[in-house]
Amino acid sequence: MESKINQRIGREIQKQKYRAHKNSAIIATTMMGVYSLFLMTLFFVESIPINEIILYLFVFVVVLSFNVISIINSWRFEWLTRLGMLNVLFIYTFITYLLFNQSLPGIFANLFIAFTIGFIYLDSRTATLNHVLMTFTSSLVLWVFPEILAVEESTMAQLGIINASIVVVMIFLYLSAIFNIRMKQFNYEKLAKSKENEYRIIQGLFDFQKEVLNDPINTDVFFKDMHAFFESFTQKLEMENVFEKRLQLIEDLHQLSLSKAKKKYKEIPEEIIIELQSLTLSDHQKLRYLAYRISQIYGDSQTIIDPKDAFNSFRHYDDSEAVKIMVFSAFYVYFRHPDVDRDAYSHQAFMDLLNQSGIDRLVEPRILKTFTEYQDVIETIMTDAIDGVEVPL
Amino acid sequence: MRDLLLKIRNSEYLSNNEILSIKIALLLVVLFLVSAVSIPFSLILTATTVIQVIVPVAFLLTYGVAWILLVSGAPRTAMHFSILSFFILMGSFLSFSNPIYIYLIVFAILSVIIYYQEGFPFFVYGTILTLFGVAYMLFNVDLFGGDTTQTSETMQIIIYQVTLLLFYVYFLLYFINSEVANDRYYTEYLSSKKLTQKYLENMVRLKDTKIESEYLTPMHERPSFQQALTELSTFLGEMNGKPAKEMQELVEFYFYLHDIDIDEAMHQKTLKYKTKETMRQLKKYLLNANNEFTELAYELLAQTQEGLHPDVKNYETALDSILRFETDRIIAGAMIYRYLKQEVTQLDKWGRVAESLEHGEIKSIFQSKAIKDYLNDRDIGVFLDNEELYKKM
């Protein structure tokens, strides 16, 4: 069961990643297209033999076609990322080839263009490849063609310093790219988790509302109304009541298991029955969640949350150290007490939930560590407080 | 240093400002090392007073300001000063008089701006630098060893210029793509978060209803909660180097805030800045409101809920992606309508969760922009065309 839920979360993350990667692929392909136009013009002006130009053009057309096909046919994520890496490899190889085989002035500067194309892909493997290739090829250019930098009597030391600078700049840019990629990956995970949590929180609300208001939906009355509605609906449209049978099936799905429903409705394909299951008023199916979600549209003031306040945490950088300690303590003590909608949690149960929910990462590690290190003392404080014993500080 | 490395490794859990601060700190450290080597050299090698005096002074000034701003919690402004100090440092290399260096320096400065991964600074500084770079080459063709009558020399300049332009335009595209992806993420994340906040608002109100009707004591007023929090915070405070008195006062203040109108208190001119600041920090963690504390608590509790049935494959909300047949979508639409009319989902004028929606209110939902996340135009049309029938349900 847990694995199915994880698969659902994974699918959502993958969906987000895919969408982002596809955008990058479109931009990178356009970039390569524009760059190829520039190159072809350059070859033409530099009077490179026409048969060579045709060959280069052919190579670019093939590469670009593959990219266009992959985008149009929505290739699988894995294949799209691999193609991205191949693109990066291709572009560096091509420029290096030109450097060694065509005397084009200043062509080494095109390495910067290759770098930008590689940078557009937001996955860590392509980023690593891009930075390694840029470091490698620019170092190669430096040592093989030192005259490019017009270092007249270039010494090993001079070239060494320039090379070291290239490496430092690349490390910085790599670090920054990785920061960015990890942040994006984290965001996808956060979004998927927040969607999953949203459904679970509504579930909690359903349960608690049922307990407090004691007014559960009467499915019999509900479906009686539905049947009556569709009768008048089809009458008005002067059509056969095609809804009746499906409605009956949805109603039956409240009591029948899937296998029994399949037996009873042999003529209806299984996938349709599964689809219709989502329309039951059961707690764990889509319809009720969607309906509750829709109910909250009413009276929505359209206030936009400031993204700055959007991320909950016990370690906001502008909160004081004392506040961070106190509020996380309050969180802990809150869960050690029973509330009106739940029982109290033990130290271990709380810690487990904290890890499971990922909230442990939103607490200053130093503060969290104290909770584990001094578990005995904390346990005593809690027991004494709950039992009402005065503890000298 | 260990702390910094740990932060880099766990960068995804940091806020944007924290990441920016780390990036600035890293750059400033490297700037210090580079300046320690390069400035003395340029002082010796240069004859001009401008570079001998103004460059080191300006560098030290901007560098110092960047550090001060960074430690005083203004990373965004510090970032601009760090870029400026890098710019000035690069200025000291101008003495090397080789134009190719100036060309490469433009790339180096652009790289530093890219390193920060901030679109706006790239747009502003990047445009200025690129224009400068292109113009510099245009007006100093001879410096590049070029002679406008020789095609290869002109070609070289053109390649340099086009490369710089493409580099700039491509990175601009990268930043636009990144912003678009971020925007999409924030929109989805914030809408999910906003809905969760609404569910929790209902949850908090239902809890209040239960507390009132059963004469229960709210959590923050329970003596055992107060005692446990005071002692735990004091203990953890001491373990983390905070005086017991400071922690106790903070806890007292925290409980006091539950009984006052914080927004009104924030406007009192007589209150000290420090008190207001603590109030601002604590406000989001109060126990008797729907706030960050509540969201974190229910995020944790969500782990104990089942939520969506494990067989539900995704979080899609659009009916046309859940149900393939129009007949089923019409049934779903009618069921949603019937549910909204019956289920208590709204607050009454006393702020209790006690009301369901009326026809007019449901109609306004079906006509809103937000409903498009669930129903397509055809589904909405079915409702609007047969409104009278729905109303009778």
Side-chain angles (χ1 to χ4, degrees):
Chain A
M1 201 170 93
E2 197 59 39
S3 71
K4 279 187 174 176
I5 296 169
N6 287 338
Q7 275 174 17
R8 182 164 65 211
I9 296 175
R11 231 174 270 132
E12 177 67 24
I13 296 170
Q14 208 56 25
K15 188 181 112 187
Q16 302 288 342
K17 267 169 85 172
Y18 186 83
R19 211 158 58 171
H21 195 85
K22 200 170 172 180
N23 274 358
S24 301
I26 293 171
I27 297 173
T29 309
T30 316
M31 285 172 165
M32 283 200 292
V34 172
Y35 178 57
S36 66
L37 286 179
F38 164 64
L39 274 183
M40 295 311 142
T41 319
L42 183 68
F43 294 155
F44 192 71
V45 174
E46 284 290 300
S47 310
I48 289 186
I50 197 77
N51 55 339
E52 280 186 42
I53 298 182
I54 290 172
L55 181 72
Y56 294 147
L57 187 64
F58 176 73
V59 171
F60 263 99
V61 167
V62 169
V63 171
L64 289 172
S65 305
F66 260 108
N67 280 282
V68 172
I69 291 168
S70 75
I71 293 163
I72 293 174
N73 290 340
S74 298
W75 280 11
R76 277 176 41 213
F77 181 74
E78 261 309 298
W79 287 105
L80 272 189
T81 47
R82 278 178 203 162
L83 188 63
M85 289 172 82
L86 282 177
N87 285 336
V88 174
L89 199 61
F90 159 72
I91 209 96
Y92 279 102
T93 316
F94 194 81
I95 295 171
T96 315
Y97 171 81
L98 291 182
L99 264 167
F100 283 93
N101 294 290
Q102 299 286 356
S103 53
L104 295 166
I107 195 74
F108 86 95
N110 278 204
L111 286 174
F112 289 117
I113 297 177
F115 182 67
T116 59
I117 295 172
F119 210 87
I120 206 92
Y121 289 105
L122 295 171
D123 79 291
S124 48
R125 279 182 303 171
T126 318
T128 310
L129 182 72
N130 186 32
H131 288 79
V132 168
L133 285 177
M134 183 65 185
T135 315
F136 175 74
T137 44
S138 49
S139 306
L140 190 76
V141 168
L142 180 71
W143 291 96
V144 179
F145 307 106
E147 68 277 6
I148 284 175
L149 297 180
V151 184
E152 275 156 24
E153 287 150 29
S154 59
T155 61
M156 291 283 275
Q158 258 180 328
L159 292 179
I161 288 173
I162 298 173
N163 207 162
S165 318
I166 293 173
V167 173
V168 169
V169 170
M170 279 301 125
I171 289 176
F172 262 63
L173 288 175
Y174 180 62
L175 214 57
S176 157
I178 292 297
F179 267 137
N180 196 29
I181 290 164
R182 287 181 64 170
M183 180 59 98
K184 286 211 158 53
Q185 169 71 19
F186 181 63
N187 283 349
Y188 303 144
E189 283 166 22
K190 207 172 160 66
L191 182 60
K193 201 84 195 276
S194 113
K195 285 187 179 182
E196 175 67 30
N197 279 347
E198 192 197 313
Y199 284 98
R200 293 177 181 214
I201 288 170
I202 309 183
Q203 179 61 48
L205 182 59
F206 286 158
D207 294 344
F208 192 57
Q209 184 156 328
K210 211 187 291 174
E211 185 196 321
V212 177
L213 302 180
N214 198 17
D215 186 22
I217 294 177
N218 183 331
T219 39
D220 290 341
V221 179
F222 189 96
F223 279 96
K224 213 175 126 201
D225 282 358
M226 293 301 297
H227 287 294
F229 169 78
F230 278 107
E231 215 172 284
S232 20
F233 182 76
T234 45
Q235 259 171 23
K236 184 189 164 194
L237 300 179
E238 293 174 347
M239 62 185 276
E240 191 195 338
N241 192 348
V242 288
F243 301 98
E244 185 56 29
K245 194 154 197 184
R246 298 177 104 86
L247 207 53
Q248 191 57 52
L249 168 59
I250 297 169
E251 194 178 350
D252 281 350
L253 280 168
H254 285 85
Q255 277 96 36
L256 296 180
S257 65
L258 190 63
S259 54
K260 281 186 181 160
K262 274 194 282 188
K263 258 185 211 159
K264 189 174 173 186
Y265 294 92
K266 277 182 194 137
E267 70 284 11
I268 299 182
E270 188 185 338
E271 63 265 29
I272 305 277
I273 299 181
I274 294 172
E275 225 171 81
L276 291 179
Q277 216 175 15
S278 63
L279 293 188
T280 58
L281 290 171
S282 141
D283 280 356
H284 306 291
Q285 293 297 342
K286 275 265 178 80
L287 186 93
R288 212 170 150 198
Y289 290 112
L290 292 187
Y292 204 93
R293 236 176 171 248
I294 290 172
S295 75
Q296 301 307 307
I297 295 176
Y298 182 68
D300 189 352
S301 53
Q302 296 292 330
T303 44
I304 295 159
I305 305 170
D306 185 345
K308 249 191 0 225
D309 306 327
F311 298 100
N312 301 328
S313 175
F314 287 114
R315 55 190 295 199
H316 286 292
Y317 77 99
D318 51 353
D319 283 352
S320 76
E321 196 63 19
V323 165
K324 283 181 193 168
I325 295 171
M326 201 279 283
V327 292
F328 185 64
S329 304
F331 196 64
Y332 175 84
V333 177
Y334 171 75
F335 276 98
R336 295 297 309 269
H337 280 74
D339 200 1
V340 292
D341 58 339
R342 58 164 177 83
D343 295 330
Y345 285 87
S346 69
H347 177 88
Q348 201 46 51
F350 169 77
M351 284 299 180
D352 289 347
L353 282 180
L354 198 71
N355 292 342
Q356 232 176 304
S357 60
I359 297 178
D360 56 338
R361 288 149 180 174
L362 307 176
V363 186
E364 282 291 349
R366 201 152 37 89
I367 299 173
L368 198 59
K369 209 171 135 199
T370 340
F371 267 81
T372 329
E373 267 178 24
Y374 299 99
Q375 191 190 331
D376 294 347
V377 184
I378 293 170
E379 202 60 61
T380 316
I381 290 175
M382 286 313 303
T383 323
D384 291 347
I386 292 166
D387 294 349
V389 179
E390 193 73 29
V391 183
L393 291 170
Chain B
M1 197 63 196
R2 218 179 121 253
D3 237 31
L4 187 70
L5 284 173
L6 203 70
K7 275 190 171 181
I8 293 172
R9 238 181 48 202
N10 296 313
S11 61
E12 61 267 47
Y13 306 117
L14 301 175
S15 70
N16 288 345
N17 269 346
E18 282 172 303
I19 290 183
L20 186 61
S21 304
I22 295 174
K23 283 183 182 171
I24 297 168
L26 277 175
L27 182 77
L28 288 180
V29 169
V30 173
L31 268 185
F32 175 76
L33 296 176
V34 176
S35 62
V37 178
S38 68
I39 289 187
F41 266 111
S42 63
L43 288 184
I44 300 161
L45 294 171
T46 328
T48 48
T49 341
V50 177
I51 290 177
Q52 270 182 337
V53 182
I54 295 180
V55 168
V57 171
F59 173 75
L60 286 176
L61 206 67
T62 47
Y63 185 83
V65 172
W67 267 121
I68 292 167
L69 286 166
L70 181 65
V71 290
S72 53
R76 217 143 282 273
T77 327
M79 172 187 75
H80 292 285
F81 275 89
S82 69
I83 293 174
L84 204 61
S85 61
F86 184 76
F87 192 89
I88 295 166
L89 181 68
M90 289 293 119
S92 69
F93 291 133
L94 290 181
S95 55
F96 294 143
S97 79
N98 192 326
I100 192 70
Y101 283 116
I102 298 184
Y103 182 68
L104 293 177
I105 283 169
V106 170
F107 278 104
I109 301 175
L110 283 174
S111 302
V112 164
I113 304 165
I114 292 160
Y115 160 74
Y116 282 128
Q117 298 272 356
E118 300 268 337
F120 187 68
F122 180 81
F123 178 68
V124 177
Y125 298 125
T127 311
I128 298 170
L129 273 168
T130 309
L131 289 178
F132 163 77
V134 172
Y136 179 81
M137 282 181 274
L138 207 62
F139 296 117
N140 296 289
V141 179
D142 49 329
L143 283 179
F144 280 80
D147 175 350
T148 34
T149 53
Q150 276 183 21
T151 334
S152 75
E153 303 298 351
T154 321
M155 209 59 221
Q156 185 175 346
I157 306 269
I158 290 173
I159 292 178
Y160 282 160
Q161 285 175 330
V162 173
T163 301
L164 181 59
L165 271 174
L166 281 183
F167 184 82
Y168 167 72
V169 172
Y170 282 6
F171 263 110
L172 205 57
L173 279 176
Y174 163 81
F175 281 111
I176 292 169
N177 181 39
S178 191
E179 286 295 310
V180 169
N182 279 349
D183 267 2
R184 204 171 39 207
Y185 160 71
Y186 278 124
T187 313
E188 268 198 58
Y189 179 75
L190 294 184
S191 79
S192 170
K193 184 186 164 79
K194 197 169 152 187
L195 276 162
T196 306
Q197 281 177 345
K198 286 186 151 202
Y199 310 142
L200 291 179
E201 182 65 39
N202 284 5
M203 193 76 189
V204 168
R205 304 293 176 130
L206 284 167
K207 278 167 91 171
D208 288 346
T209 306
K210 189 169 178 180
I211 289 171
E212 271 170 38
S213 62
E214 295 179 17
Y215 305 105
L216 303 168
T217 315
M219 186 68 82
H220 64 279
E221 288 175 15
R222 292 191 209 170
S224 67
F225 182 88
Q226 294 188 344
Q227 184 187 327
L229 181 57
T230 312
E231 281 160 18
L232 185 61
S233 304
T234 313
F235 171 70
L236 292 174
E238 279 179 341
M239 290 299 111
N240 288 283
K242 296 276 158 207
K245 196 162 174 271
E246 184 189 337
M247 294 308 294
Q248 281 162 7
E249 279 173 3
L250 184 67
V251 176
E252 255 176 58
F253 189 57
Y254 175 67
F255 284 124
Y256 167 72
L257 291 181
H258 285 81
D259 301 323
I260 65 160
D261 182 342
I262 297 186
D263 293 330
E264 201 188 293
M266 290 290 266
H267 287 105
Q268 277 179 24
K269 285 181 184 152
T270 47
L271 273 185
K272 282 183 191 159
Y273 170 77
K274 206 181 158 199
T275 313
K276 283 187 182 174
E277 186 50 29
T278 313
M279 269 162 71
R280 185 192 63 75
Q281 292 178 21
L282 290 176
K283 192 186 164 199
K284 51 189 181 286
Y285 301 114
L286 298 184
L287 294 155
N288 59 348
N290 180 20
N291 52 25
E292 207 166 318
F293 188 95
T294 319
E295 283 173 47
L296 284 161
Y298 280 91
E299 211 178 306
L300 188 105
L301 280 172
Q303 311 314 310
T304 63
Q305 295 286 350
E306 193 184 325
L308 271 181
H309 192 278
D311 284 338
V312 179
K313 292 215 157 39
N314 53 44
Y315 307 106
E316 291 291 342
T317 59
L319 284 183
D320 52 11
S321 59
I322 303 170
L323 305 159
R324 71 192 95 165
F325 296 109
E326 202 185 352
T327 328
D328 298 338
R329 291 205 301 274
I330 296 174
I331 295 177
M335 285 179 78
I336 289 171
Y337 177 87
R338 176 67 177 75
Y339 178 89
L340 296 178
K341 222 170 165 185
Q342 182 187 344
E343 183 75 336
V344 171
T345 54
Q346 310 293 313
L347 302 180
D348 65 8
K349 58 180 169 182
W350 294 282
R352 293 176 310 199
V353 184
E355 290 191 347
S356 52
L357 291 162
E358 287 172 8
H359 176 79
E361 294 163 342
I362 302 175
K363 189 181 172 184
S364 74
I365 290 180
F366 274 59
Q367 287 174 321
S368 69
K369 208 176 138 197
I371 197 72
K372 307 254 170 169
D373 288 343
Y374 308 89
L375 309 177
N376 63 24
D377 289 341
R378 244 179 113 85
D379 301 333
I380 298 166
V382 171
F383 168 77
L384 295 174
D385 294 345
N386 302 284
E387 200 190 321
E388 287 311 310
L389 287 177
Y390 282 86
K391 202 172 172 180
K392 281 187 209 151
M393 237 202 287

